[in-house]
Amino acid sequence: MPPEDSTCEERSFKKLYEAHSEALRNFVYYKLGDLEYAEDAVQESFLILWKNCAKVPFEKAKSYLFTVVNNMLLDKVKHQKVVLKYFHQKQVQHVAESPEFILEEQEFRQKLERVLNELPEDQRVVFLMNRVEKMKYREIAELLGISQKTVEKRMHKALLIIKEKIGNI
């Protein structure tokens, strides 16, 4: 009877690498489209397996490798989201710092305030509840004791007037 394969034996570990490295690489590559990262992720996953070989039975090694790689993908996606959010905040901050932008924003706010004050009260209330308070038409209708269709008509009229006086917002 041949001895059982062990994840910690070099021969068995090499067998695992030859059997699963390409599938792991393809899995990562298909998810991210970055071949270099995929190859690095495969190397890293096998390194983690080697460090934990005593805890991982040979039969479970493939599943373990895919779990490790998948967790690495999830971490990478989370990291990319943080980077994009930071980048976006920096761009918005940069734009907001320009004196022209600040002046234009102030002028727009004044114009919008003036137009909102000129709206009939029923349209202004619906517009502000929807756009400022982020309420749904159904919620506005319930609060004001009117139909949802009436809310929609008032919002439509308000938007037409605003668009006519200051353009799309």
Side-chain angles (χ1 to χ4, degrees), residues 119 123 152-162:
L119 284 175
Q123 293 173 17
E152 292 171 9
K153 286 179 184 176
R154 289 179 183 178
M155 186 65 167
H156 178 72
K157 288 178 183 176
L159 289 171
L160 286 176
I161 292 170
I162 293 168

Side-chain angles (χ1 to χ4, degrees), residues 23-99:
L24 280 168
R25 187 197 69 220
N26 290 341
F27 175 73
V28 176
Y29 178 67
Y30 296 155
K31 291 268 189 178
L32 289 182
D34 183 344
L35 187 59
E36 189 176 318
Y37 179 79
E39 290 170 349
D40 289 346
V42 170
Q43 295 301 318
E44 183 70 24
S45 66
F46 275 96
L47 183 63
I48 291 169
L49 175 62
W50 183 253
K51 288 179 182 176
N52 295 299
C53 68
K55 301 175 192 169
V56 182
F58 184 82
E59 305 78 39
K60 305 273 184 187
K62 178 181 177 183
S63 173
Y64 181 83
L65 287 165
F66 274 91
T67 301
V68 167
V69 162
N70 197 48
N71 288 339
M72 291 169 70
L73 283 170
L74 293 173
D75 288 344
K76 176 134 176 109
V77 169
K78 281 183 206 170
H79 177 71
Q80 286 175 333
K81 285 182 181 179
V82 169
V83 169
L84 285 172
K85 185 176 179 181
Y86 177 77
F87 178 73
H88 178 70
Q89 286 174 342
K90 280 291 184 190
Q91 282 200 323
V92 168
Q93 195 175 31
H94 177 70
V95 170
E97 292 170 355
S98 97

Side-chain angles (χ1 to χ4, degrees), residues 115-126 157-158 161:
V115 171
L116 289 176
N117 287 332
E118 292 172 1
L119 284 175
E121 183 181 347
D122 59 344
Q123 293 173 17
R124 183 176 60 249
V125 168
V126 167
K157 288 178 183 176
I161 292 170

